[in-house]
Structures are given as structure tokens and as C-alpha cells.
Amino acid sequence: MDEHKMVVRRLALLIAAAAVVLALYTLRLIFLQLVHGEEFAARATSTTEYRFNVTAARGDIVDSAGRRIATSTTCYNVELSRLLIGDNDLNETIRSAVEILQANGESWNDTLLIGYADGAGHYAFTGDADSTSDQNAIARVKEALGLQQYATADDVMDRLIEEYELEGYDPVWQRILGGIHYQMEQEAFSNVNNFVLAEDVSDRTVATVKEYSLTLPGVEIAETSVRSYTDGTILPHVLGRVGKITAEMWRVTDENGQTTYPLRDRGYAMNDVIGISGLESAYEEQLRGQDGVETITRDSDGVIIDTSITTEPQPGKTVMLTVNSEFQKAVDEALARNVQQIADTYGVDASAGAVVVIDVKNGGILACSNYPSYDQNLYSSQYSEYSADPGLPLYNRALQGLYTPGSTFKPSVAVAALLTGEIDRNSTVYCNGVYNYFRDYHPRCTRHGHSGDIDVVTAIKWSCNIFFYDVGRRITSDVYDDYAHRLGLGTPTGVEVSESTGRLTTKEDENYTASLEVQAAIGQGNTVVTPVQLATYAATIANKGVRYRTHFVKALLDTNTGEVLEETAPEIVEIIPNDGGAFDIVEEGMVGAAQTVAGLANYPYTIACKTGTPQRSEKDEDGKYYTNSTIIAYGPVEDPQIAVGIVVEYGGGGSRAGELVADIFNAYFFERSNGMTPVQEGQLLE
């Protein structure tokens, strides 16, 4: 009986315990369902969104008639997506992708300056020991891997192999995978930042990657665009180039050791393309456009449940130039032809030169030619040949070249003397071929077509040195330099791209003497200017003292519609009063000068010009100084439309460039007669 009671008691206790446990579970369930039900439901159905930039198409650069000069063409990149690779082996994914690239003859993104292992398994740095950029890149690799600067290439590879678990691969694949991993680190590869493994791949590679898409998750084909040029020989020095953002551009360290990321702060990704020179750089913000956003949504189990473009990319603006591409090509051809003609005709070493043609009415550049030049479309593949060419085809002579102006400087001295009252139309200086003002310095004059008492018109026409020695000495370089600056010499012209400033001879020069000052009055001495300044100067004389800002860009257009969004208004930067008709007097002399130049004397329109034969610093085998050909011109004089500045290196007498001036005017009037009219809104041409 007692035993029966004990069993009943135990059973009751078990039932009570079970009831308590059941009650606790019930209470817990009620707590979870009623109190935190919504929270846990949200957790169960939670998703994570990842946003990726969709690069906007870069805006076009077109000529004044709407013809495309620089445009963007579609291409395809191979990208690695950390998000889509997920739990798959990253090393094997990279290896499989590289094998596809290798099979199709493609290259991949790897800038590590270490070669492949030699027969003994050792590595060596491949950077140029004389290249500062290469040595800096090697130093950054060591720093990024936590190595001392005395570390060897073997040390770097050992660290990469350890860091990225490459011990199981042979040395070739260790180098390939290690280089790619390092590049991925430099470009911040992550769930929200894809890595561009290969750029502009072939259609065959695109097809192969897509074929293996199911077995290679995370290896993606991304549509993008690359810069291309309808005719790569048109304005290559002015257009400039685009390129990938470099490590130096991305990570900037100041003198205090503070590191900033200016491009990241402006919304760029590290593997973006950016304008790095010329108009591509100057108008980067306008050409770049607005990137779009692709959003990828992943659930709590890591499964991709949605991919969509949540913000459409907006293409950059179209930049319209003042240059007409057909006229530009005609000037390019004329420059090349005339340089060769001067060399052949006169037996000189003429082999290079530059021409700038400006619209007198507004300062817009109509043509900007360099000879020799290069092809933008061949720049990458032929850079070594271009950079090694002794003719310096990559050198922008038109905007960067500094040349002694020679006698083309004389009209500025005449303007200064007339406007300051030092001389008038009838003032004369006696020319007997030698200037005897100084006791120990007697510079000479060639006396071509003149002698005796010479007035300013005659002095300009026949380029009398004695007249300008004397007048320059009397008004001093302080005065004629001031007017030369105001006319556009030795001062920035205002173009949107990089230009040399040049300089004029001044009393502050270390080698200044009174004799140097009279030499400067005929465009010698320390004075150096650019061809674009010569053209600007000529345009200012044509405008009777009104100087416009020289510029290349005519307008910004909407890329989709062709609508003009912003137009460059003519900007007057200097006005020199034409008191007493000073500019008319100078023009009379320049019209006379044109009558002494072959090619211009019988030209159908009245042209004003001034030639120059400035000495170079080098001497020939006979001990005579080599000379350049320089010339400024504008016309038609009755209603000036274009102004020209020309330099031909080693060309000799400035009048030798007269045929080139005539060719330029012929091309200009031919283009106008063939309907060189501004583009209409919405009418961009192919």
C-alpha cells in the first residue's frame, strides 16, 4: 500500500513538472508571438541591398559643324563580383577566368612590377631603375604588404603567397594570382565594388564567359564604353586623353603625411576613367555625366533575389568646339606641305612648325596645327615610337612652344610709340644700315627696299631695324612691353587647356643691358612667345586694339537632344584705344609688308602681315645663327575675319611662310563657300 502511494506521488510530481514545463513553453511562445512577433518575422524575411555604380556614357566632343571628333563606343569588360562569387573559392574562380582570357589571347589587370620566377624559383622587380614612378610603385607594394623597403622581390612574393593562401599553386599561378590579388586590394575589391579583371575583350571572350556563367558565378560581362576618335589626327594635342585613375591620383598624401582621397570624395570609383589632359581634363565634369545605380538584393540566406537598375545613368554633355574639322585638316595638310617645301626650296633643316588661326570677331580658335603630329587612335600602341621620335610629335608647339618672335614684334613697338606720342605718322628715323647711337655697339639693318629717312609705315613694310632700334630705345622696354602684353604677347591667352606664358625682355633680367633693350625692340633679346599668342596678337591688331579671350569651346549641348545648354560668349579682356588712328597706321604698314611677300602680293583679298626671321641659339658650320620663320597675318583688311600666327623651325626668312598664309586663307574661304554654318539644335552630325 505504501509502495502504491509512493508511485502515485511520483507520477503526480512528474505530471506537475511536465505541466510547469509546458506552461513555460506556452508563455515563451506567447511572448515571442505577441511581444516580439513582428521583430522576428522581419528577421526571417530580412534582405540586404548592395548598390553598384553604372558608368554613364562620356559626352562627345564635336566640331563647330556638329561633326563628332571624340566619341564613346561600346565595349565589354570582364568583372569579378565578390557578392556573386559568394562562398565559392576565390582563387579558383580567378584562375578559371584567367584561363578563359589566356585561351583568347587577352591580357588582364595586373600592374605588379615583378616578373615570373626563374629556373631557380627566384623573382625580380621589372620596374625601370631610372623611372621615379616605377620605383615609387615598388615602394608602395612593400609598404602595403608591411615589408621594409629593403625587401626583395622574393620577399614580396612570399608575403603574397602567404596572404592569399597560394601555397598549393605552382610558381606561375602563384605570380598570376598574387598579382591579381594585389591589384584587387589596390582597387578596394569588396561586396560593393567589383573588380575589372580585363578591359575591352573580344566577342569570343564575351561568348565564352557567358557560356560558363552557371559554373563561374561572379565572373561577369559588363557593358561599358571606351574613347574613340573619328579621325585621330584632328587636334590630338588639344583634345588630350582619358585614362584610368592611378594610385597617385586616388590616394594623395600631403607634406604633413595626411592622406586624402579627392576623387573618391567627388564620386569616382578607383577603376573609373577620367580626363587626364587637354580638353578631356578641362571639361571632365561636363563630359563625365551622372552615373546610374544597379541594386542587388540578397536575402538572409545569401540568395540573390533581385537585380535592377534603380537609377538610370545620364550621359555627359557634348562639348562643341570653335574648330571646324574640315578646315583643321586643310591647315594640317598645308603646314606639313609648306614645311617640306621650305626645306626643299631653300636647302634648310625645316622639319617642324605650328599654326594657329583665330576668328577675329570673337577669339574662337578655328584651327590649331602642329607638325609633326600623331594619331590619337594609335597613341597607346605606338607611344614608344612617338616618344622616341626626334621630331617630337607629342609636343604641342602651338600652345607650349616658346619662340623668339623676331620682326613680328615690331608692330607692337609701333603701336606703343604712336599711342604714347613718341612718334606720329610722319616721324622719321634715318637709316644708313648701321645704328650708331652706342659707342661700342653698332647693330645693323639689312635695308631691304629702303634707306634714308624712314617713317613708321615704311619701317613696318620693309622691316627697318634702325627705325625700331631708335624708337624702342626712346620709349624703353617698360612702355613697349606693356603694350605687347595688352596686345596678347607674353601673357596667357585664355585657352581652356595648358599653355606656356612666355616672357618679354625687361630691365629686371639678369643679363639686361641697353643693347639688349634695343634688340628686344625688334623681337630678339630674351623675348619668347607661343604661336597662339602670335595669332591672338594679330587678331587684336585687326580689331584695332580690342582683344578677346582666345578659346576652343563654342558651346555645351545636351547629348540626347542636341539642345544648346550653354554658349561661350565673346569675352573682351583688353581694349587699347585707337587714338589718332594708331592701329590704322600700323595696318597700312602691314598691308605694305604683304605686298613684299610671295603668295600674298597678288592675293584676291587684301591681307595684312608682318614677317620675322628670329635667330636661334644654335650656329651652323659657318658660324651663322640658324633662324626660324615667323609670320602674323589677318584679313580681309576691309572686314577682318581670321588672324594667323605661324612658326616654322629652321625655316629661315619669314617671308618663306607667305605661301602657307595664302593656303590657309584659301582653305578658309573654300570652307565658307561650302556652307560652313553653325549646327542647328538637335542636328549633331556623324
Side-chain angles (χ1 to χ4, degrees):
M1 190 69 177
D2 290 338
E3 183 177 345
H4 176 71
K5 289 180 178 179
M6 186 177 295
V7 170
V8 172
R9 188 180 297 112
R10 288 178 178 175
L11 183 60
L13 289 172
L14 288 172
I15 292 171
V20 170
V21 171
L22 181 60
L24 290 173
Y25 273 109
T26 301
L27 290 172
R28 181 61 178 167
L29 183 60
I30 292 171
F31 177 79
L32 292 175
Q33 290 283 349
L34 298 181
V35 179
H36 291 287
E38 292 184 3
E39 176 186 342
F40 286 106
R43 289 186 186 179
T45 60
S46 68
T47 58
T48 304
E49 291 185 345
Y50 299 86
R51 293 176 175 82
F52 298 85
N53 279 355
V54 179
T55 305
R58 193 169 183 83
D60 293 336
I61 300 177
V62 301
D63 77 351
S64 60
R67 289 179 285 253
R68 287 179 173 84
I69 301 175
T71 189
S72 295
T73 55
T74 300
C75 69
Y76 298 93
N77 294 343
V78 177
E79 292 188 358
L80 299 180
S81 169
R82 164 65 82 178
L83 184 64
L84 298 180
I85 291 172
D87 295 330
N88 292 286
D89 188 302
L90 180 57
N91 283 329
E92 282 303 300
T93 299
I94 298 172
R95 176 172 177 164
S96 298
V98 170
E99 286 175 337
I100 293 174
L101 297 173
Q102 289 175 324
N104 293 324
E106 309 277 10
S107 59
W108 52 88
N109 188 4
D110 176 1
T111 61
L112 184 66
L113 294 176
I114 294 179
Y116 287 91
D118 60 19
H122 294 297
Y123 297 89
F125 293 116
T126 58
D128 184 349
D130 296 325
S131 169
T132 301
S133 61
D134 283 357
Q135 296 311 305
N136 287 341
I138 292 172
R140 285 195 300 273
V141 171
K142 297 175 183 179
E143 180 183 355
L145 296 174
L147 298 172
Q148 298 296 325
Q149 287 304 310
Y150 53 75
T152 65
D154 285 342
D155 295 330
V156 171
M157 283 306 304
D158 287 344
R159 181 60 59 87
L160 290 172
I161 291 167
E162 177 186 1
E163 183 80 16
Y164 301 114
E165 301 178 357
L166 305 177
E167 293 86 352
Y169 293 91
D170 64 48
V172 171
W173 278 106
Q174 285 177 339
R175 170 60 189 83
I176 293 173
L177 295 173
I180 293 174
H181 270 292
Y182 175 74
Q183 194 69 29
M184 292 164 76
E185 287 292 327
Q186 297 308 296
E187 298 188 17
F189 178 57
S190 69
N191 276 349
V192 295
N193 188 31
N194 293 346
F195 174 69
V196 178
L197 180 63
E199 295 181 300
D200 195 13
V201 297
S202 66
D203 292 342
R204 182 177 177 182
T205 297
V206 171
T208 306
V209 171
K210 289 185 175 180
E211 179 184 349
Y212 286 93
S213 60
L214 293 178
T215 57
L216 280 177
V219 181
E220 301 286 304
I221 293 295
E223 181 178 313
T224 184
S225 61
V226 294
R227 210 55 162 166
S228 62
Y229 304 90
T230 307
D231 182 341
T233 65
I234 295 176
L235 293 174
H237 304 84
V238 174
L239 295 180
R241 296 175 45 247
V242 298
K244 288 190 67 175
I245 293 172
T246 63
E248 293 85 354
M249 296 163 65
W250 183 253
R251 183 174 182 265
V252 178
T253 302
D254 64 20
E255 57 186 13
N256 298 319
Q258 296 295 316
T259 299
T260 58
Y261 297 85
L263 292 178
R264 182 188 65 187
D265 296 341
R266 289 166 56 190
Y268 287 89
M270 189 170 182
N271 56 5
D272 278 350
V273 167
I274 191 172
I276 56 178
S277 64
L279 290 171
E280 294 279 15
S281 175
Y283 280 81
E284 169 64 20
E285 291 300 317
Q286 293 84 355
L287 290 165
R288 178 188 173 199
Q290 299 276 335
D291 287 350
V293 177
E294 179 185 34
T295 300
I296 297 178
T297 306
R298 188 169 70 174
D299 66 16
S300 58
D301 295 324
V303 177
I304 304 297
I305 61 174
D306 184 58
T307 300
S308 61
I309 301 295
T310 50
T311 303
E312 291 289 340
Q314 300 298 318
K317 296 180 178 66
T318 293
V319 174
M320 173 177 276
L321 305 184
T322 55
V323 173
N324 179 282
S325 57
E326 292 301 316
F327 179 58
Q328 174 69 45
K329 287 191 287 187
V331 174
D332 288 341
E333 293 166 3
L335 173 61
R337 182 175 62 253
N338 278 272
V339 168
Q340 189 60 54
Q341 181 178 310
I342 289 171
D344 294 342
T345 302
Y346 299 100
V348 293
D349 294 329
S351 59
V355 171
V356 178
V357 184
I358 288 179
D359 187 331
V360 170
K361 307 294 186 183
N362 57 33
I365 292 180
L366 303 178
C368 182
S369 295
N370 289 282
Y371 179 78
S373 186
Y374 67 98
D375 189 326
Q376 280 273 54
N377 289 320
L378 302 178
Y379 180 88
S380 297
S381 61
Q382 295 191 14
Y383 174 76
S384 296
E385 291 87 342
Y386 284 145
S387 60
D389 189 329
L392 305 178
L394 300 178
Y395 182 41
N396 188 354
R397 289 174 165 87
L399 302 185
Q400 298 284 346
L402 292 174
Y403 301 96
T404 303
S407 293
T408 61
F409 190 77
K410 290 174 180 175
S412 69
V413 177
V415 167
L418 288 164
L419 289 176
T420 56
E422 183 63 36
I423 63 171
D424 60 25
R425 173 67 176 79
N426 300 312
S427 302
T428 62
V429 172
Y430 186 77
C431 177
N432 64 355
V434 182
Y435 189 55
N436 292 314
Y437 179 83
F438 300 103
R439 178 179 300 176
D440 55 352
Y441 177 64
H442 305 284
R444 306 185 70 84
C445 179
T446 56
R447 288 202 297 175
H448 285 311
H450 72 282
S451 63
D453 291 326
I454 304 300
D455 62 27
V456 64
V457 171
T458 305
I460 293 173
K461 176 179 179 178
W462 295 108
S463 202
C464 177
N465 284 350
I466 303 300
F467 182 92
F468 288 100
Y469 288 146
D470 194 61
V471 170
R473 176 190 59 78
R474 283 148 51 191
I475 63 174
T476 78
S477 59
D478 291 338
V479 174
Y480 64 69
D481 278 356
D482 177 59
Y483 278 92
H485 279 305
R486 296 172 68 187
L487 289 164
L489 296 175
T491 189
T493 66
V495 291
E496 298 88 341
V497 297
S498 177
E499 62 172 327
S500 294
T501 302
R503 69 183 307 274
L504 304 181
T505 304
T506 73
K507 288 184 172 65
E508 285 70 44
D509 292 349
E510 290 185 3
N511 65 337
Y512 175 80
T513 60
S515 61
L516 184 70
E517 182 160 284
V518 297
Q519 282 296 321
I522 65 165
Q524 293 286 159
N526 300 326
T527 299
V528 285
V529 299
T530 61
V532 70
Q533 288 176 354
L534 288 175
T536 301
Y537 161 53
T540 308
I541 296 173
N543 280 323
K544 303 294 191 288
V546 176
R547 178 160 69 92
Y548 290 99
R549 181 179 72 83
T550 307
H551 60 281
F552 281 103
V553 175
K554 179 179 181 179
L556 298 178
L557 310 180
D558 185 294
T559 294
N560 293 321
T561 67
E563 176 189 357
V564 176
L565 303 175
E566 182 180 332
E567 196 163 7
T568 303
E571 179 184 347
I572 295 175
V573 295
E574 184 67 65
I575 298 177
I576 304 173
N578 188 23
D579 294 342
F583 286 99
D584 301 283
I585 295 169
V586 170
E587 180 175 86
E588 185 181 346
M590 293 177 66
V591 169
Q595 296 305 305
T596 71
V597 175
L600 300 180
N602 298 310
Y603 196 75
Y605 294 98
T606 305
I607 306 299
C609 84
K610 184 68 194 79
T611 61
T613 311
Q615 290 182 349
R616 298 180 62 93
S617 59
E618 314 99 311
K619 292 182 178 180
D620 62 19
E621 57 187 14
D622 296 324
K624 296 180 179 179
Y625 286 102
Y626 287 107
T627 56
N628 290 336
S629 302
T630 60
I631 191 168
I632 59 171
Y634 64 86
V637 166
E638 296 77 11
D639 181 21
Q641 296 179 36
I642 64 171
V644 182
I646 296 173
V647 174
V648 176
E649 296 180 11
Y650 298 97
S655 62
R656 297 174 183 177
E659 295 286 353
L660 175 53
V661 173
D663 287 346
I664 291 168
F665 274 94
N666 288 341
Y668 174 76
F669 289 119
F670 176 80
E671 285 300 324
R672 288 183 64 81
S673 68
N674 281 272
M676 190 179 77
T677 57
V679 68
Q680 301 298 312
E681 290 189 8
Q683 190 184 7
L684 295 182
L685 306 178
E686 294 299 333

